Amino acid sequence: MNYNRNKEIMARNIKRYMDMKGVTNQQLCDALDFKYTTFMDWIKGVTYPRIGKVEAMANYFGCEKSDLIEEKLTEEKAPQGRCFGFSSHF
């Protein structure tokens, strides 16, 4: 996977978590003391945040760093017949 693709994935994941939490760009920047213009570059996929900033966002959203960094399977992309998030032994 190339660097530009990683930035796109990160941008999409940040936006998704912001939507789920119901926060604006400015609210997130204020809460985490991020420079607004730098943050905008992250969510546009222009630049990639340092790991400390990724960790701060993960803590804010209550998720793992990997949830922000990696492309995760969604229900639409999951192989048919496979149930994610459930134990195989009932």
Side-chain angles (χ1 to χ4, degrees), residues 14 24 57 64 73:
I14 293 170
T24 66
M57 286 187 282
E64 299 293 324
L73 285 177

Side-chain angles (χ1 to χ4, degrees), residues 1-89:
M1 188 176 290
N2 69 35
Y3 188 66
N4 286 331
R5 179 78 174 127
N6 288 343
K7 290 187 288 188
E8 292 169 10
I9 291 167
M10 178 77 163
R12 186 171 50 247
N13 289 339
I14 293 170
K15 290 177 196 174
R16 187 180 78 230
Y17 275 95
M18 288 177 63
D19 287 345
M20 290 188 320
K21 193 165 177 88
V23 296
T24 66
N25 299 341
Q26 190 64 57
Q27 289 170 325
L28 181 66
C29 289
D30 290 346
L32 299 178
D33 199 27
F34 291 165
K35 186 176 174 187
Y36 185 81
T37 54
T38 302
F39 179 76
M40 291 304 295
D41 284 345
W42 300 342
I43 63 170
K44 290 178 187 174
V46 175
T47 59
Y48 197 83
R50 293 178 186 226
I51 194 64
K53 303 296 185 183
V54 174
E55 186 169 6
M57 286 187 282
N59 290 338
Y60 179 79
F61 292 128
C63 66
E64 299 293 324
K65 291 185 294 272
S66 64
D67 294 328
L68 296 174
I69 295 169
E70 299 172 0
E71 185 169 40
K72 305 286 183 171
L73 285 177
T74 61
E75 288 182 28
E76 299 85 43
K77 292 182 180 180
Q80 287 197 330
R82 185 157 178 201
C83 192
F84 288 89
F86 295 97
S87 174
S88 60
H89 44 280

